[in-house]
Amino acid sequence: MRKANVAGFRGYLGKNGEAFLLIALAAAVYQPWNAPGLPILDFSEFLPRLAGNSFWSGIRSVADYLASQGRFAPLQYVLVAFDWKAFGTEAAGWHWSYFAINSAVLLLARRVLLKMGVRRSAAFVAVALWALMKPFADCWLRPTGETIGLLFALSAFGIALDYAARANPRRRALLLASCAFGMLLSKEILVVLIPAIWLAARLEKRDGAFRWAPWRRGDTELIAALTTAIVLAAIPIAYVAHHASADSYASRYGAGRISFASALERFEIAFLPGREPLSTLKRVWADPAWRLLLVLPNLIWVALIADGLASPSARRNLWPIAIGVLWLFSGIVAYLPWPGHSAFYMVPFGFGMVIIAACASSWLFERSESAGWTGIATAALLVGLTAIEARNAVRRHDLRVRLDSSIIASVSRAATANEIVAAVPEPPANAASWGWAKRLAEFGRAAKKLPVLRSRDISCAAVDSARAANPRIIAVSEQEGCGIVVPQSETIRVSTFERRWPWLLKVQPFYRTGYISPIR
């Protein structure tokens, strides 16, 4: 009996070894147990609404706040309220929560790729690279609706892959619609993924390739179920967005400048693993060897995928590539009207790259075993390089957290202060509601480290007049922004190190420096 159990366990490991390796790789890179603190970026908004409230009151408070910004994403509220109830301000607990969600996303992604017929090694390198690229790196460090929505999107995609092969698919149509509903309640813009998921449901696998399936009653039922789910989710989403103020966060949608350059930037964020964009090549003639070296990882990645797509198998299997392209570009197009370029917004749509890369890597094996393993080895080297860049992202995030925490600790020692201002080169339009000073004050108050302080961002030149008008004011600034704006300011310097392509063997120091003015 014991030998049978050992053999069964070995067999399970043999079938799922890459899954364990994916989780181990993510843990080694992102290290949730080492989180130095919570970032003020999101938590200055959430914590004041959670502190002192019960679980359900916290959900309502966060929901009210996000509704004021034109957002309706209740599954995010539940996660934030649950983590607060479970972990409070213990950063490691929050990071373990992100780690659990993101790990589930990776395992689901691997599972649906294997269901598509992708080789295990190809699925591993494609998912591993996705998990370490710049967009996904941010999602291991902060609460996002993108990865919650991905759990539903990938579940729906997995159900859709064999939808056409089911004799009585009504139950699966309802499951698909439920996943679509959950996806929209996690992140509204993920509605653009539904066409790619529906396309997968219209295909069936015959003779080792995906083919367009004959239309059946189940396909009509699926369209009806998906439409119902979209409408039910869209009603509260549209209502909240319509009743939000004109300066709400959601109202910024449509303010972006739609251009080819913007589309290319988003494509590179979602598709390319290297840090340097291909636009670097515009200056290639100034220093050809150096410019080519900087973008070499991206050029290798593009060449590897192109090589796989040139194989005969690719011409017989165009539907998976069509799904990957539709999945990827639906996000690129959807975000063109958005003025910001936050990398993590592209995480869900980067799965389109994963589909294309995994299929291309698999098809190399059909040319020859040596070609296939050469491609996998090359991709594995890129995974290693991307892992180094992901560690850099973690260190920089932790550095920001440490600097803000040190500034809050310094401000807390100024017992008579009644206002904090942040000197920045370009203050936001609504400087009393947004900005660095507001985040510092709100986070410090919610974490019980600061009293109630007025706060606003001001220009570098306005510091002197602000201090003259209020002698109990504290001004903060950064070396990368306004520098020292008040003589005799306290200097706070935090440092880390990083390795960057192409200097992988060289440890490079990286600093952030902040300044806190004394009270007059």
Side-chain angles (χ1 to χ4, degrees), residues 322-342:
I323 292 173
V325 170
L326 180 59
W327 194 295
L328 173 64
F329 279 90
S330 63
I332 293 172
V333 173
Y335 268 113
L336 282 180
W338 183 254
H341 289 154
S342 294

Side-chain angles (χ1 to χ4, degrees), residues 275-364:
R275 176 173 55 94
E276 285 291 330
L278 293 180
S279 58
T280 300
L281 293 176
K282 290 190 296 185
R283 302 185 297 277
V284 68
W285 299 117
D287 192 346
W290 177 244
R291 297 296 174 187
L292 288 171
L293 182 62
L294 287 177
V295 298
L296 184 60
N298 287 337
L299 294 178
I300 291 174
W301 182 239
V302 171
L304 179 63
I305 292 177
D307 192 24
L309 295 182
S311 66
S313 299
R315 292 189 287 272
R316 298 193 305 269
N317 289 278
L318 292 178
W319 282 117
I321 300 304
I323 292 173
V325 170
L326 180 59
W327 194 295
L328 173 64
F329 279 90
S330 63
I332 293 172
V333 173
Y335 268 113
L336 282 180
W338 183 254
H341 289 154
S342 294
F344 71 89
Y345 288 163
M346 299 307 298
V347 168
F349 312 108
F351 183 68
M353 176 278 295
V354 175
I355 295 174
I356 297 169
C359 289
S361 299
S362 289
W363 293 333
L364 285 174

